[in-house]
Amino acid sequence: MINVKNLVRKKQSNFWNHVHFHPTDAIEDDWGQKILNEVAKDNVAKVIRMYAMLEDIVTMDENGDFVYDFTENDVRMDYIVEKGFTPLISYAFVPKCLCESTDCLSSMAKGKTRYKGKYIISSKPKDYKAWGEICRKYAEHIVERYGIDMVSTWYMQCYNEPCGGGFFMGEEKSYHIRTGEYCKLYENFAKGVKSVDERLKVGGSATTDFALGFLEAFLNYAKLNNLPLDFVDAHTYGTMPQSINEKTRLLSIYNNIGHICVYNNIIKKFFPEGKEFILDEWGPAACGFYNLEDCPTFIFRENSIFPTYFAKLVTNIIDNDMNVSKMLLCLSGQHEMTEDFSGFRNFFSLNFIRKPIYNAYALMSRIKENILYSETDNPYVTVLASKDEKDNYSLAITYSSEHFGTETDTWDDGLPNFKDTVKIDDIHGDKCVTVWVIDDNNTNPYGVYKRKGYTKDLTKEQIEELKEVGRIKPVKQFNVHAEGKLEVDIESTPNGLIFIEITA
């Protein structure tokens, strides 16, 4: 039995319905807008992280003066604003005309180049004050275009994963030197942006959870030099594809939970009064540009494991009262798909079939602000129960082993199918109960694809069939009159997410 007490234990704002949309320049294209149209319509995300792509904006004329062309940026930003998203803008990357060296190129993609044949020049700027001026000019432009009242609610973040050579100073072997150069990069960025208006929110350092010393050094520098720092941001990826393949670090939400704990402790060390903390990229495993060719376990991105992992992680962050104000799923590899179920990290397949993780985001957006007490004696079950001020209830229930079966490659770790009853106390009146399930048998296009033996060369009829499977529908809905308690029977296969809504 799963027991839910009609007693509020805490207030909780939604920190989980946010995404990093990649590639940024797909926002100006039909296929990117098609995805984001659905995201906006289904309330899947509020904050969208995007790159400023300064390398597209800034050039230098024959007199050595910077020339700015915001045309493409404005198309992207206008669309994001029109759809009601809040931008988190990563000020990246250093424009070619300001790079100390143009020899160090990085694609950071599975293919030879990034989207539209572009490369990142990972060099540091040859003039940090000029970098600060570029950051100031960009901030000035968006404030003039959208107004300070709106832009002051946005987030301005300096660079992406400067701790690694893939994005910053790829030619530099000294970790210490790279850290010091990033601190100068951030200082000039922050002062440049704040010179436009003090209300603009700036933060850093977008480091990974495998480079904690980098974050410590950055926060120490910011503290000692009294730099503007409105928020701290970082990435959490539970494991690496190589570690999964070698079975040395399998999928587990506790990988992410451990990283978040360490991040929180580092922030407290330098800022005991606290700082807003944003996970501006998260995932069960790193390497969004890897797919099944690199790690067969990445099939979890296509099946019900991903939504179960997501809801289970959110529940544990709430249960442990962790400092996370925003958590953004990184959508990457979207432009590299050549077939529908190849293990890339995105919401929709090649033929725009909804993946289970997309539907999980849509359901989890319905969690209410008032978190209720709940309990279960099943160690494989987590419960996140909530209600609003009008006594409408939303419950997210997950069922899985810690490693989701990856230790045995059976995907269920030998767990039986799950059946239980949810009992809610002190509930009265006429209610409508709706139950959704995402598991191996429900809202799982890949499950149908696998069971029917379909191949990657899907027919039009098969595509339409799988699109219909991907449109989330209740497994049951009924009306009931409650007098003091309400019971709902639930069931799923292993690695299942069950979502219950109870409305007046």
Side-chain angles (χ1 to χ4, degrees):
M1 180 76 73
I2 296 171
N3 293 300
V4 177
K5 297 180 181 179
N6 205 339
L7 181 63
V8 177
R9 66 181 174 94
K10 67 183 297 186
K11 296 273 189 181
Q12 179 67 61
S13 60
N14 184 321
F15 60 82
W16 52 89
N17 275 107
H18 314 287
V19 300
H20 172 31
F21 189 80
H22 189 88
T24 290
D25 33 353
I27 297 172
E28 69 210 36
D29 297 333
D30 288 343
W31 71 267
Q33 292 186 4
K34 185 177 181 182
I35 292 170
L36 289 170
N37 286 345
E38 295 298 303
V39 168
K41 183 187 69 167
D42 293 333
N43 198 31
V44 163
K46 294 296 186 185
V47 173
I48 298 286
R49 182 179 182 232
M50 56 190 291
Y51 295 128
M53 299 195 73
L54 297 170
E55 69 271 33
D56 282 0
I57 295 171
V58 186
T59 55
M60 186 175 285
D61 66 17
E62 57 188 15
N63 298 318
D65 297 323
F66 290 128
V67 177
Y68 297 86
D69 183 351
F70 292 101
T71 304
E72 290 180 343
N73 175 85
D74 292 347
V75 170
R76 300 164 194 154
M77 198 71 72
D78 285 353
Y79 174 81
I80 292 295
V81 170
E82 175 191 333
K83 289 296 174 182
F85 297 121
T86 297
L88 189 160
I89 305 169
S90 177
Y91 278 57
F93 294 95
V94 177
K96 182 178 180 180
C97 60
L98 188 60
C99 286
E100 185 174 76
S101 168
T102 59
D103 294 333
C104 192
L105 301 177
S106 175
S107 69
M108 296 307 293
K110 191 173 180 65
K112 293 182 179 179
T113 65
R114 296 162 70 207
Y115 187 49
K116 299 182 179 179
K118 298 176 182 178
Y119 281 93
I120 297 167
I121 302 176
S122 66
S123 168
K124 68 178 182 179
K126 56 188 174 185
D127 183 335
Y128 279 104
K129 288 190 176 179
W131 161 256
E133 170 59 19
I134 287 172
C135 295
R136 184 200 68 78
K137 186 70 174 179
Y138 183 89
E140 180 182 71
H141 172 76
I142 60 176
V143 168
E144 288 176 352
R145 189 171 182 86
Y146 305 105
I148 187 60
D149 288 345
M150 176 179 287
V151 181
S152 63
T153 67
W154 300 359
Y155 294 87
M156 314 289 165
Q157 172 255 320
C158 183
Y159 230 71
N160 179 68
E161 295 188 359
C163 54
F167 292 103
F168 186 60
M169 298 182 66
E171 73 287 354
E172 181 54 62
K173 299 189 185 310
S174 169
Y175 189 76
H176 176 73
I177 291 174
R178 183 183 293 119
T179 304
E181 293 299 322
Y182 175 74
C183 289
K184 290 189 284 185
L185 192 81
Y186 179 84
E187 180 171 7
N188 286 275
F189 149 80
K191 291 178 178 177
V193 172
K194 286 287 190 179
S195 71
V196 176
D197 196 295
E198 283 292 330
R199 289 170 287 179
L200 296 177
K201 292 188 284 192
V202 298
S205 62
T207 190
T208 68
D209 35 23
F210 302 103
L212 298 173
F214 189 98
L215 178 62
E216 285 211 48
F218 164 67
L219 293 181
N220 183 54
Y221 185 88
K223 180 78 170 181
L224 289 176
N225 292 278
N226 197 29
L227 298 183
L229 185 67
D230 299 302
F231 64 92
V232 177
D233 65 320
H235 302 168
T236 177
Y237 289 106
T239 183
M240 301 292 290
Q242 299 92 326
S243 301
I244 296 174
N245 289 340
E246 295 166 1
K247 295 188 181 297
T248 57
R249 190 176 178 88
L250 299 168
L251 295 181
S252 172
I253 67 159
Y254 301 110
N255 296 336
N256 301 92
I257 292 292
H259 293 154
I260 297 169
C261 284
V262 174
Y263 280 142
N264 283 178
N265 288 336
I266 292 173
I267 293 169
K268 286 180 182 178
K269 176 180 176 181
F270 296 99
F271 299 97
E273 72 279 11
K275 286 285 182 184
E276 180 176 1
F277 177 50
I278 298 175
L279 292 168
D280 62 3
E281 288 187 27
W282 83 272
C287 300
F289 295 109
Y290 281 30
N291 65 355
L292 300 182
E293 296 173 349
D294 311 286
C295 180
T297 298
F298 277 5
I299 197 64
F300 82 82
R301 293 170 172 172
E302 310 289 351
N303 62 29
S304 65
I305 290 177
F306 206 167
T308 304
Y309 191 110
F310 165 55
K312 190 174 180 179
L313 177 61
V314 169
T315 301
N316 273 263
I317 291 173
I318 292 172
D319 286 348
N320 288 286
D321 295 316
M322 307 185 85
N323 172 32
V324 177
S325 77
K326 304 283 187 302
M327 187 173 89
L328 286 67
L329 179 66
C330 183
L331 305 177
S332 54
Q334 297 185 114
H335 65 290
E336 305 221 66
M337 290 185 291
T338 58
E339 57 186 277
D340 282 286
F341 304 111
S342 55
F344 281 118
R345 188 172 60 200
N346 34 49
F347 278 154
F348 295 90
S349 77
L350 179 67
N351 285 295
F352 213 68
I353 300 164
R354 286 172 173 81
K355 295 188 179 185
I357 184 60
Y358 178 83
N359 287 312
Y361 264 72
L363 289 175
M364 289 293 287
S365 72
R366 304 183 187 199
I367 291 292
K368 315 301 183 189
E369 184 181 40
N370 299 301
I371 306 300
L372 305 177
Y373 286 95
S374 60
E375 59 184 14
T376 174
D377 59 2
N378 190 326
Y380 302 110
V381 172
T382 67
V383 182
L384 178 58
S386 67
K387 74 171 185 177
D388 63 17
E389 302 302 330
K390 297 181 180 179
D391 282 344
N392 296 307
Y393 300 80
S394 295
L395 289 74
I397 300 165
T398 70
Y399 175 61
S400 74
S401 63
E402 178 182 346
H403 299 295
F404 305 89
T406 51
E407 63 268 58
T408 61
D409 290 329
T410 61
W411 297 111
D412 59 15
D413 198 26
L415 293 180
N417 286 346
F418 173 64
K419 288 187 178 183
D420 209 334
T421 300
V422 179
K423 184 181 77 172
I424 303 173
D425 294 330
D426 193 23
I427 185 169
H428 303 272
D430 295 327
K431 302 292 181 181
C432 177
V433 179
T434 307
V435 181
W436 294 267
V437 177
I438 302 176
D439 67 357
D440 196 44
N441 298 323
N442 296 280
T443 324
N444 192 336
Y446 174 72
V448 173
Y449 172 91
K450 182 176 63 173
R451 283 192 294 275
K452 292 195 172 183
Y454 291 163
T455 67
K456 64 180 182 179
D457 299 314
L458 293 169
T459 66
K460 289 182 179 180
E461 292 76 15
Q462 290 169 346
I463 291 170
E464 289 306 311
E465 176 192 8
L466 295 176
K467 282 184 176 181
E468 185 59 32
V469 172
R471 292 187 180 95
I472 193 162
K473 298 171 284 293
V475 296
K476 61 181 174 181
Q477 187 175 58
F478 58 90
N479 296 316
V480 64
H481 183 78
E483 286 295 348
K485 71 174 181 178
L486 190 154
E487 294 187 356
V488 183
D489 293 329
I490 56 173
E491 59 182 292
S492 81
T493 63
N495 301 318
L497 168 62
I498 303 158
F499 199 91
I500 303 171
E501 269 196 336
I502 303 168
T503 56

